[in-house]
Amino acid sequence: MEIRELQAKAAQIRMDLLQMIFRAKTGHTGGSLSNTDIITALYYRIMNIDPAQPKAADRDRFILSKGHSVESLWAVLADKGFFEKEQLATFSQFGTKLIGHPNNKVPGIEMNTGALGHGLAVAVGMALAAKRDGVRYRTFCLMGDGEQAEGSVWEAAMAGAHYKLDNLIAIIDRNRLQISGSTEEVMGLDPLEDKWRAFGWNVMVIDGNDMQALIESLEAVPSVPGKPTLVMANTVKGKGVSFAENVPHWHHHVPNETELEQALTELSAVFEFYQTEGQGR
Amino acid sequence: MNTIPNRQVICDTLLELAQHDRDIMVLASDSRGSAAMAPFAKAYPDQFVEVGIAEQNIVGISAGLAHSGKKPFVTSPACFLSMRSIEQIKVDVAYSGTNVKLVGISGGISYGALGMSHHSVQDLAVARAIPGLSVMLPADRHETKQMIEALVQYEGGVYVRIGRNAVEDVYESDAYEFTIGKAVTMREGTDVTIIAAGETVRVALDAYEELKEAGVSCRIINMHTIKPLDEDAVIHAAKETGHIITVEEHSVLGGLGAAVAEVVVQYAPVPMRIIGIPDEPAIAGKTAEVFKHYGISSDNLKMVALHMLGKQEKN
């Protein structure tokens, strides 16, 4: 998919996830909107995946370590055809498989997540297995920035560098907000990229809501032999919805009908813009 | 007297099996020495992973390896493996359904003098409460070997707890049939049943002899799999002997005794006693000293049995 199509797709995914959250009256709106571009780039351009063969041996692996932001992933998996799109209507409903965190009873989900600080260690195990077996798949792990306060993240970071896992790519959705406010107020992380460099990772810092930058950085990995890569994706929490952007309250706030309509209007305009050929950015 | 600790038996067994199964992997958290896994690390460096002192990481990495078709055996001190990384065990192993074998070494009060931080007497309770996770304790080296052989074939999350030092054999050889989830009746009896697991099986067998001399017919059950529990064996024992005693190297809260009691009270209520470590930081000392202090001994089992049967001798 070309950049313009990816941008339109991301707008569509944002509309889908907002409708899911509105229907369910629950969800993590802000973080799903901030990571939508990253997940869109991975699933529609970067990763080697086939919805018809979700367990193919050579598929790239994706672990959503910030599991609470699963709404964008559910919308993408449905759109890719891992399951029927109608199932999105069951999100967070009684007895559903589409719960508020990744659930590997659903095709396309590798591991159950939800407890923060778990994903990277699991991804290290997957990448290590690929190295030991000489298999060429890559393992991607998307973490939150608030999640960086979990000590287990750094245990895994150490192991990733120790075992020279250049087939491992961690991405941080650096939106600078967590449930209680700014990450720097809650538990300071900066200079976060220096910390990862000091742990032996190849670090790239990009605008994580810029599709061009995402594609360029993710297509470039594995870029340094013998080093795992960390993509520090600076994003905006609530991205794409003017009144939700950078507002901590939208971490898990649910839009009312008026808010939903406004959000859909804004996102439709973005969608139309990128769908229409010949227009400049 | 046997001098081979169960941890060495695990290493030997995995060394043998790994020759034919390249998917078997052993992981250690700076514990290859204490887990006796150094020979494995040397023989199969490609099938060995060192994670350093990081018990959360060892479980997460194992789950990732298992997801990719490996058969990881995590060997780490029971006290840390069962507590420090319990959330990874719950989410990455049990909930995600990955095929990880967690071997808690030096469990119970093996690290007797090191105090509560190193005692592992809550691990069975914690592991048992996690859906999908099986919990096992081998009684001697023969059972350990068979258990590991069975676990290589078994798909699913399992917590195995072993002690540190060599234990006296309870089986003459490994020529009996070990089956996951199937208790072993070591001695037949009709008056009372003692149910033990792991290293307390030896204690129970000694009590059998003492009770026999006192004219009591005692059934001894080795409940090597605490979860899934062999409920039929418990119900039959309750109905056929009318009295149950459990003995374990674990807190009396949530372990073998609790597992047995849950079945007894629901399906065959009979008088029952639970012998183990009381709800307190366990006293420091050698295993034998600590066992004696808390009545995890053949004398005490005899006394408790006689008391239950109304034949208590004054002492």
Side-chain angles (χ1 to χ4, degrees):
Chain A
M1 218 178 243
E2 295 308 310
I3 300 286
R4 177 173 291 277
E5 295 171 287
L6 290 166
Q7 287 162 326
K9 183 59 77 180
Q12 179 210 314
I13 296 299
R14 286 188 164 98
M15 290 191 274
D16 287 349
L17 76 88
L18 283 167
Q19 282 163 327
M20 280 166 60
I21 291 172
F22 175 74
R23 275 194 302 259
K25 297 283 175 265
T26 181
H28 286 82
T29 309
S32 289
L33 289 170
S34 69
N35 74 26
T36 298
D37 296 305
I38 299 165
I39 293 181
T40 301
L42 287 170
Y43 275 84
Y44 294 88
R45 174 81 173 248
I46 302 296
M47 289 202 304
N48 170 33
I49 45 149
D50 179 1
Q53 292 178 288
K55 298 280 184 190
D58 65 345
R59 73 191 182 280
D60 286 334
R61 271 67 161 170
F62 176 69
I63 306 296
L64 182 63
S65 193
K66 51 172 299 193
H68 58 277
S69 297
V70 73
E71 291 87 345
S72 45
L73 183 56
W74 287 145
V76 164
L77 291 178
D79 187 66
K80 292 286 290 185
F82 281 92
F83 53 85
E84 296 291 316
K85 206 159 185 174
E86 291 73 49
Q87 280 192 47
L88 291 180
T90 72
F91 171 65
S92 285
Q93 302 301 304
F94 179 76
T96 186
K97 287 180 182 169
L98 301 190
I99 59 172
H101 289 107
N103 167 17
N104 67 358
K105 289 195 169 58
V106 180
I109 300 289
E110 305 280 358
M111 288 288 288
N112 296 338
T113 52
L116 293 172
H118 286 224
L120 191 60
V122 171
V124 165
M126 292 175 177
L128 188 57
K131 284 279 177 193
R132 294 278 171 99
D133 286 346
V135 187
R136 293 185 63 83
Y137 66 80
R138 295 168 300 172
T139 302
F140 296 87
C141 175
L142 176 58
M143 293 180 284
D145 51 2
E147 182 178 2
Q148 304 299 300
E150 292 278 9
S152 49
V153 169
W154 302 97
E155 291 183 8
M158 239 184 277
H162 180 84
Y163 284 106
K164 304 186 189 324
L165 301 177
D166 49 20
N167 55 352
L168 171 65
I169 300 97
I171 306 165
I172 297 177
D173 180 18
R174 182 76 171 114
N175 59 37
R176 294 190 166 265
L177 289 178
Q178 57 191 103
I179 195 165
S180 302
S182 142
T183 54
E184 299 314 296
E185 284 167 11
V186 175
M187 181 49 65
L189 299 171
D190 282 330
L192 188 53
E193 50 264 38
D194 290 349
K195 292 185 170 90
W196 281 89
R197 277 194 196 97
F199 271 70
W201 286 58
N202 166 47
V203 176
M204 295 187 215
V205 182
I206 60 159
D207 177 345
N209 293 128
D210 178 340
M211 196 57 77
Q212 182 85 38
L214 278 166
I215 296 305
E216 280 171 11
S217 61
L218 292 169
E219 277 188 341
V221 293
S223 50
V224 179
K227 275 192 175 191
T229 290
L230 184 277
V231 176
M232 183 73 68
N234 288 310
T235 60
V236 172
K237 199 149 179 173
K239 178 71 182 179
V241 177
S242 59
F243 54 87
E245 288 191 357
N246 281 319
V247 181
H249 171 62
W250 277 91
H251 176 83
H252 60 179
H253 190 64
V254 175
N256 62 31
E257 204 164 344
T258 316
E259 288 166 334
L260 178 70
E261 272 179 31
Q262 191 190 331
L264 294 180
T265 305
E266 290 176 16
L267 289 164
S268 298
V270 175
F271 180 79
E272 294 296 331
F273 177 82
Y274 288 120
Q275 276 247 311
T276 314
E277 287 193 51
Q279 289 195 28
R281 275 191 70 202
Chain B
M1 182 75 185
N2 169 49
T3 56
I4 307 168
N6 288 339
R7 55 203 168 109
Q8 191 182 325
V9 175
I10 292 178
C11 182
D12 292 345
T13 308
L14 290 174
L15 265 173
E16 196 182 312
L17 296 171
Q19 287 180 49
H20 314 290
D21 191 343
R22 305 301 288 177
D23 287 331
I24 292 174
M25 295 193 84
V26 170
L27 291 92
S29 54
D30 195 26
S31 51
R32 74 182 79 181
S34 52
M37 286 299 161
F40 190 98
K42 198 173 172 200
Y44 298 107
D46 291 345
Q47 286 167 261
F48 182 79
V49 180
E50 174 63 71
V51 307
I53 305 167
E55 290 81 14
Q56 299 182 75
N57 209 25
I58 202 172
V59 176
I61 290 176
S62 299
L65 289 168
H67 181 277
S68 310
K70 300 296 181 189
K71 299 174 184 171
F73 281 75
V74 175
T75 58
S76 183
C79 50
F80 310 127
L81 182 60
S82 66
M83 293 285 182
R84 193 68 170 264
S85 48
I86 195 64
E87 194 183 82
Q88 277 78 6
I89 294 173
K90 174 181 127 182
V91 178
D92 307 345
V93 176
Y95 183 30
S96 288
T98 54
N99 181 27
V100 176
K101 307 302 180 313
L102 303 147
V103 183
I105 53 171
S106 301
I109 37 96
S110 294
Y111 291 130
L114 299 183
M116 183 162 167
S117 64
H118 282 61
H119 295 164
S120 184
V121 296
Q122 295 84 27
D123 53 345
L124 305 179
V126 168
R128 214 164 69 77
I130 294 178
L133 191 70
S134 298
V135 181
M136 299 174 201
L137 294 84
D140 74 357
R141 60 184 166 139
H142 302 303
E143 192 161 79
T144 299
K145 182 168 189 283
Q146 282 214 43
M147 187 179 283
I148 295 299
E149 287 167 350
L151 291 182
V152 167
Q153 302 296 324
Y154 174 81
E155 174 90 19
V158 180
Y159 175 70
V160 176
R161 190 239 263 183
I162 59 165
R164 179 168 179 79
N165 298 316
V167 286
E168 203 182 320
D169 289 348
V170 300
Y171 294 101
E172 285 176 12
S173 71
D174 64 358
Y176 87 102
E177 200 183 334
F178 170 86
T179 310
I180 293 171
K182 184 99 180 73
V184 184
T185 302
M186 306 281 297
R187 301 285 186 274
E188 288 293 355
T190 52
D191 297 334
V192 57
T193 300
I194 301 178
I195 303 178
E199 300 189 8
T200 59
V201 172
R202 181 69 260 168
V203 179
L205 290 172
D206 292 345
Y208 169 88
E209 298 298 336
E210 294 184 23
L211 283 163
K212 194 175 166 187
E213 280 178 27
V216 173
S217 169
C218 180
R219 182 178 299 186
I220 305 293
I221 291 178
N222 171 11
M223 193 63 77
H224 52 65
T225 306
I226 293 188
K227 188 183 175 187
L229 191 79
D230 187 342
E231 297 190 354
D232 285 346
V234 173
I235 293 166
H236 281 122
K239 289 184 174 166
E240 290 160 20
T241 70
H243 307 82
I244 306 258
I245 301 169
T246 61
V247 56
E248 61 196 301
E249 187 180 355
H250 185 271
S251 167
V252 292
L253 305 181
L256 170 67
V260 169
E262 287 160 12
V263 174
V264 168
V265 296
Q266 292 185 87
Y267 305 111
V270 294
M272 208 190 134
R273 299 286 181 274
I274 296 173
I275 310 297
I277 313 281
D279 186 26
E280 66 180 37
I283 196 166
K286 293 193 177 68
T287 300
E289 294 167 338
V290 177
F291 272 24
K292 186 163 185 278
H293 178 79
Y294 291 122
I296 304 170
S297 62
S298 53
D299 311 356
N300 186 53
L301 288 176
K302 177 188 168 191
M303 209 171 76
V304 170
L306 290 175
H307 184 86
M308 280 180 99
L309 296 168
K311 298 179 180 177
Q312 191 183 18
E313 296 160 351
K314 297 285 177 204
N315 61 344

